[in-house]
């Protein structure tokens, strides 16, 4: 045990009271996740329909000329996204004719990690040992060390000497068109930009004297190979002119997000020369991925909520620790199975609401499968 470890105890009555209070939060959590699952299915269906509508309406055009006949239409085009703007980092002397210029500032700091070990005691109480451990890390934000358990580790500076920053071109074009901010924001294909002796010489003398070139960037500290707390490193990335493909609504010589008949809006940009068909397929794949991620989030959090609802039972049984642990496993199984049933039911009902032609047959198949299982089970029982 560390010299700075802390030991705390909680009585059985206190734990039971906390578990009972947690029942309310558990009920709220289950309800909120049910609503989220319902919303997610609706979002997925609306997005699917919007993308299908867009795929049927999109017109591929040339980026070289602006055709008034395509005004207000959903268009697809490919070309070189470029700019004449020179982006300059006024502090560190870096400049480039680019779509974006990104500065990342990191400071070497101490990070505290608390490890908790809880032990159940006879009678239902618990004893918790909290043990701090420390490591040195590079972080782009300040780590507050003023409340660290070990006073000797309270050494982090209270602020960053400089902040990370992203500069964006005020005007970017693709052929005869001007990109709007929404499309420009989707260009993320960045590459490192090296600091050099020339860029170093452009920095104000008082700061220049504190910097050295290191790892393609600047280093502020005594020795880059042996960093000390408070040392700073600054690196840069740049988004240069590049070939892109986009789908958006043409408005004069620029673009705006296209709105489908169901109210969903859409505009998309991808790096390289990509056909409209592939771009819509990519968008549909992302929609499916997000749908499944949110389904899993809902499943897990509903299980957590159910576990909180039944937690008073396992806490009550902790008067005999082995019995409480056994019941806790049972509650976990019930929570998972209950969450699975609730999640499947909500998704099925949502599909009936949003896509009845698919949802109703699926529900009938599900019910039929359950009935068939019971019939087969009863036949086996009779045969035995």
């Amino acid at each position: 045990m560390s010299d700075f470890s802390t030991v705390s105890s909680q009585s059985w009555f206190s734990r039971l009271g906390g578990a009972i209070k947690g029942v309310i939060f558990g009920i709220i959590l289950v309800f909120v996740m049910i609503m989220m699952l319902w919303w997610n299915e609706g979002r997925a269906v609306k997005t699917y329909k919007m993308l299908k509508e867009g795929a049927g309406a999109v017109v591929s055009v040339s980026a070289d000329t602006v055709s008034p006949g395509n005004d207000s239409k959903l268009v697809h085009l490919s070309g070189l996204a470029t700019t004449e703007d020179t982006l300059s980092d006024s502090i560190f002397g870096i400049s480039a004719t680019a779509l974006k210029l990104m500065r990342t500032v990191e400071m070497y700091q101490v990070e505290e990690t608390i490890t908790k070990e809880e032990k159940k005691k006879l009678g239902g109480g618990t004893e918790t040992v909290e043990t701090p451990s420390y490591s040195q890390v590079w972080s782009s934000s300040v780590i507050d060390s003023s409340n660290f358990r070990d006073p000797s580790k309270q050494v982090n500076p209270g602020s960053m000497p400089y902040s990370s920053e992203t500069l964006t071109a005020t005007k970017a074009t693709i052929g005869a068109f001007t990109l709007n901010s929404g499309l420009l924001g989707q260009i993320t294909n960045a590459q490192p930009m090296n600091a050099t002796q020339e860029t170093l010489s452009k920095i104000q003398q008082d700061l220049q004297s504190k910097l050295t070139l290191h790892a393609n960037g600047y280093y502020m500290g005594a020795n880059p190979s042996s960093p000390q707390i408070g040392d700073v490193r600054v690196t840069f990335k740049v988004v240069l002119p590049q070939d892109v493909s986009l789908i958006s609504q043409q408005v004069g010589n620029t673009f705006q997000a296209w709105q489908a008949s169901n109210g969903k809006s859409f505009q998309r940009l991808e790096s390289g020369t990509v056909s409209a068909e592939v771009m819509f397929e990519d968008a549909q794949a992302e929609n499916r991925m997000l749908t499944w991620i949110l389904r899993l989030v809902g499943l897990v959090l509903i299980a957590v909520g159910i576990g909180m609802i039944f937690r008073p039972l396992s806490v009550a049984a902790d008067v005999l620790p082995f019995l409480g642990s056994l019941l806790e496993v049972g509650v976990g199984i019930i929570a998972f199975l209950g969450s699975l049933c609730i999640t499947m039911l909500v998704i099925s009902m949502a599909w009936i609401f949003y896509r009845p032609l698919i949802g109703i047959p699926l529900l009938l198949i599900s019910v039929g499968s359950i009935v068939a299982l019971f019939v087969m089970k009863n036949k086996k029982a009779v045969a035995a």
Side-chain angles (χ1 to χ4, degrees):
M1 183 183 299
S2 166
D3 292 339
F4 301 99
S5 297
T6 60
V7 180
S8 59
S9 298
Q10 190 175 21
S11 69
W12 178 77
F13 284 107
S14 177
R15 291 183 63 217
L16 187 59
I20 293 173
K21 292 177 183 177
V23 171
I24 298 174
F25 184 81
I27 293 172
I28 293 173
L29 182 60
V30 170
F31 177 76
V32 170
M33 287 302 103
I34 287 174
M35 298 301 293
M36 187 276 287
L37 286 170
W38 184 276
W39 167 84
N40 180 47
E41 297 306 314
R43 178 209 57 78
V45 171
K46 288 179 180 179
T47 302
Y48 169 81
K49 290 181 177 180
M50 176 268 290
L51 292 173
K52 290 288 287 185
E53 181 181 341
V58 69
V59 177
S60 290
V61 302
S62 170
D64 298 332
T65 58
V66 178
S67 174
N70 292 323
D71 209 47
S72 298
K73 289 184 179 180
L74 181 65
V75 298
H76 161 266
L77 55 91
S78 299
L80 178 67
T82 187
T83 184
E84 295 180 356
D85 291 357
T86 298
L87 304 179
S88 300
D89 188 314
S90 59
I91 298 176
F92 291 99
I94 296 288
S95 63
T97 301
L99 300 170
K100 296 179 185 178
L101 177 61
M102 292 164 279
R103 176 216 300 164
T104 300
V105 180
E106 299 171 290
M107 185 164 62
Y108 200 62
Q109 302 173 75
V110 176
E111 183 177 60
E112 180 183 64
T113 302
I114 303 296
T115 303
K116 294 184 179 181
E117 183 180 1
E118 184 179 275
K119 296 180 181 179
K120 294 180 180 180
K121 300 188 295 183
L122 189 64
T126 59
E127 181 180 89
T128 303
V129 179
E130 297 185 355
T131 303
S133 60
Y134 299 90
S135 58
Q136 287 77 45
V137 298
W138 287 101
S139 175
S140 57
S141 59
V142 174
I143 299 175
D144 184 8
S145 63
S146 61
N147 294 317
F148 283 180
R149 305 285 181 88
D150 184 349
S152 68
K153 304 297 184 181
Q154 297 175 1
V155 294
N156 291 339
S159 62
M160 301 285 291
Y162 302 97
S163 60
S164 299
E165 185 178 20
T166 297
L167 302 175
T168 303
T170 56
K171 183 179 179 181
T173 60
I174 177 169
F177 294 87
T178 299
L179 294 174
N180 65 355
S181 58
L183 292 169
L184 182 57
Q186 294 183 45
I187 305 179
T188 57
N189 188 17
Q191 61 188 61
M193 183 173 183
N194 297 340
T196 64
Q197 194 65 46
E198 180 183 356
T199 61
L200 181 62
S201 65
K202 298 178 182 179
I203 301 175
Q204 291 185 2
Q205 188 61 43
D206 57 340
L207 175 58
Q208 184 184 140
S209 61
K210 300 176 184 177
L211 300 175
T212 56
L213 294 172
H214 175 71
N216 303 322
Y218 298 126
Y219 193 90
M220 184 184 297
N223 185 359
S225 62
S226 180
Q228 302 297 310
I229 302 304
D231 284 5
V232 173
R233 64 184 183 187
V234 186
T235 54
F236 304 89
K237 285 186 177 181
V238 64
V239 177
L240 296 172
Q242 57 191 271
D243 288 327
V244 300
S245 299
L246 66 86
I247 297 174
S248 190
Q249 183 176 14
Q250 179 178 321
V251 182
N253 70 336
T254 186
F255 307 96
Q256 68 178 21
W258 171 77
Q259 192 170 65
S261 58
N262 64 6
K264 296 281 288 185
S265 60
F266 176 75
Q267 65 177 348
R268 184 178 180 88
L269 182 145
E270 294 186 20
S271 296
T273 302
V274 187
S275 68
E277 181 182 5
V278 171
M279 290 183 71
F280 276 108
E281 288 175 356
D282 291 342
Q284 289 285 20
E286 290 176 8
N287 181 40
R288 289 192 294 271
M289 177 66 73
L290 177 59
T291 302
W292 277 105
I293 289 173
L294 293 178
R295 284 172 178 170
L296 290 173
V297 169
L299 173 69
V300 171
L301 292 182
I302 287 175
V304 171
I306 294 174
M308 295 180 71
I309 293 170
F310 287 97
R311 180 164 171 73
L313 297 178
S314 59
V315 172
D318 272 340
V319 174
L320 297 176
F322 78 92
L323 183 60
S325 297
L326 188 63
L327 192 57
E328 193 172 347
V329 172
V331 167
I333 294 173
I334 292 172
F336 172 75
L337 294 176
S339 176
L340 188 61
C341 292
I342 291 173
T343 300
M344 292 177 65
L345 178 61
V346 172
I347 292 174
S348 299
M349 295 301 293
W351 272 62
I352 291 174
F353 182 81
Y354 291 110
R355 305 187 72 178
L357 294 179
I358 298 177
I360 292 175
L362 283 175
L363 183 62
L364 292 175
I365 291 172
S366 299
V367 172
S369 300
I370 294 172
V371 171
L373 288 173
F374 274 106
V375 170
M376 291 175 61
K377 183 180 179 180
N378 289 335
K379 283 184 177 180
K380 289 181 178 180
V382 171

